Every structure is written in structure tokens, then in C-alpha cells.
Amino acid sequence: MRFSTDVYLITGFLGSGKTTFLNRVIDRFPRDRIMVILVNEFGEIGVDGAMVAGEEFDTIEISKGSIFCACVKTDFIKALCELHQKTKPDVLIIESTGVANPADIKKDLKLPIFNSRFRFAEQFCLLDAAHFLDASKVYASLDKQIESSTVFIINKTDLANTATVAKIKSAVEQFHPSPVFIETRYADIDVEKYFGLSPMTMKLE
């Protein structure tokens, strides 16, 4: 019996492939384990962190602002409390808004009220190979996403040349001492490896 929830954070600027990556994880996730997805995107209509039942997993949507700023921090903490007290999932995946600064999430997960329920496992940063260099000059929050991430998925490499990919890696290395790079198209990575999924329990094709 599991007594903790592994938390995975997916960051990246708008259009970098976060949702495509998330869908790949969903497709490969074992159906005998409990997974909850928290989607954080800006929008006029949201469900204020209320849980919406999906066919095979639960989704939490917070869309009034970034979960990493004070404007909806309370909604985020309430959602975590609900998970801690009732759902108790094996895995929580957070897909953050593209302009989010995720620097404080690890502190939030360690709040005493959660009684060590949440274990931060990995932070993925999706980078659009075709547009990252231009975006990095405009959006300061990208620096924070890079600093706090571990695995960098350079996505859409079919739309960029080798020299551009090399420049992206160099840009990341200015803010991160030991980045792990994955070059791919359509956010296609070894999901089983990075999410610790056993081949015996994965979804059958």
C-alpha cells in the first residue's frame, strides 16, 4: 500500500507541447494505479479547483490565474488538501500555465498539513525548438522554469536545425548547472523510464 503521492510538474511556454506530452503519459499510465491531473491555464471560466471525474483518471482545473502566484494559491492548496484527505493518488501530474514561475511548488508540497503525502519526483520543461530562443528574450518567467527544472524536452526538432538546437542547450546551461536534454518530435519520450512505470503494468496496446 502506498502512503505517498509522486508529483510531476510539466512546464514550458505556450505551444511547446505540454498537452501532447501529458496525453502520452495518460496513454501509457497503468490503469491499476490512481493518477490525478491538475491543469492550470488562464481563462475566464473555470471550476475553481473542483475535481471533475474523467473516464480513467480525475482532472482538477484551476483557470483564474497561475497556481504559483497569490491570486489562486488558496485554490491550489485546497485542491492538494482534497487529494491528501480523500483521493490519495499514486501520482499527481501538474501541467502549469505557460507563463508560470514554479519556484515555490516544492515548498507548498511540504506544508505540514499534508503530512509528507507529496513527494516531488520530477520537473519537465518543454522547449519549442522553433520558437524558444525568441520567447526567452521576452518572457522572464522562462528563466525560472529552467532554473527549477530537471529534464528538458527540446520538442519540435523537425522545425529547427542542429545549430539552433545547440543554441537552445547553451541558453539553458546558463541557468542550470546539469540539465538533462531530450531531443524529440511530438513530445515523444521514454515515458516508462521517467515515470518509473513497469512494463508489466503498462497499458496493453
Side-chain angles (χ1 to χ4, degrees):
M1 180 177 180
R2 292 176 59 88
F3 294 92
S4 64
T5 296
D6 291 332
V7 180
Y8 296 85
L9 178 62
I10 302 175
T11 67
F13 189 63
L14 301 175
S16 60
K18 298 191 303 295
T19 302
T20 300
F21 177 53
L22 179 57
N23 285 334
R24 289 193 178 278
V25 176
I26 292 171
D27 184 61
R28 302 298 293 173
F29 197 80
R31 296 316 189 241
D32 61 344
R33 297 175 64 190
I34 301 174
M35 175 173 64
V36 171
I37 298 169
L38 189 155
V39 179
N40 178 215
E41 288 291 357
F42 290 116
E44 295 180 356
I45 300 175
V47 290
D48 297 332
M51 196 167 296
V52 179
E55 292 183 359
E56 297 174 325
F57 55 87
D58 287 330
T59 300
I60 299 171
E61 179 187 356
I62 299 178
S63 56
K64 288 185 176 179
S66 170
I67 58 176
F68 305 107
C69 72
C71 54
V72 293
K73 175 70 74 173
T74 300
D75 287 343
F76 179 52
I77 299 301
K78 285 181 178 179
L80 291 179
C81 286
E82 181 79 7
L83 295 177
H84 168 53
Q85 296 171 1
K86 297 181 179 180
T87 310
K88 300 180 180 179
D90 298 297
V91 169
L92 169 62
I93 298 178
I94 302 173
E95 180 192 356
S96 70
T97 176
V99 295
N101 178 351
D104 292 334
I105 188 172
K106 295 178 183 178
K107 295 179 181 178
D108 294 336
L109 295 173
K110 292 182 179 180
L111 290 174
I113 58 174
F114 300 137
N115 196 27
S116 301
R117 155 64 57 182
F118 300 104
R119 186 186 75 88
F120 194 87
E122 196 74 84
Q123 180 173 329
F124 300 93
C125 185
L126 275 290
L127 308 175
D128 183 340
H131 301 103
F132 171 77
L133 293 176
D134 289 335
S136 64
K137 299 174 183 178
V138 179
Y139 297 97
S141 60
L142 286 177
D143 297 346
K144 298 299 182 180
Q145 292 183 10
I146 291 172
E147 290 174 358
S148 58
S149 295
T150 307
V151 178
F152 297 86
I153 302 173
I154 304 178
N155 196 31
K156 305 181 183 181
T157 53
D158 54 319
L159 303 179
N161 56 37
T162 303
T164 298
V165 172
K167 289 180 181 178
I168 291 172
K169 292 181 178 180
S170 179
V172 170
E173 289 169 346
Q174 293 180 28
F175 298 95
H176 197 289
S178 55
V180 175
F181 292 112
I182 303 174
E183 299 178 32
T184 187
R185 297 183 298 170
Y186 307 107
D188 188 7
I189 77 166
D190 187 347
V191 171
E192 292 75 27
K193 173 183 177 181
Y194 287 96
F195 284 81
L197 305 181
S198 167
M200 298 298 293
T201 60
M202 289 189 307
K203 172 186 174 183
L204 297 177
E205 300 294 343

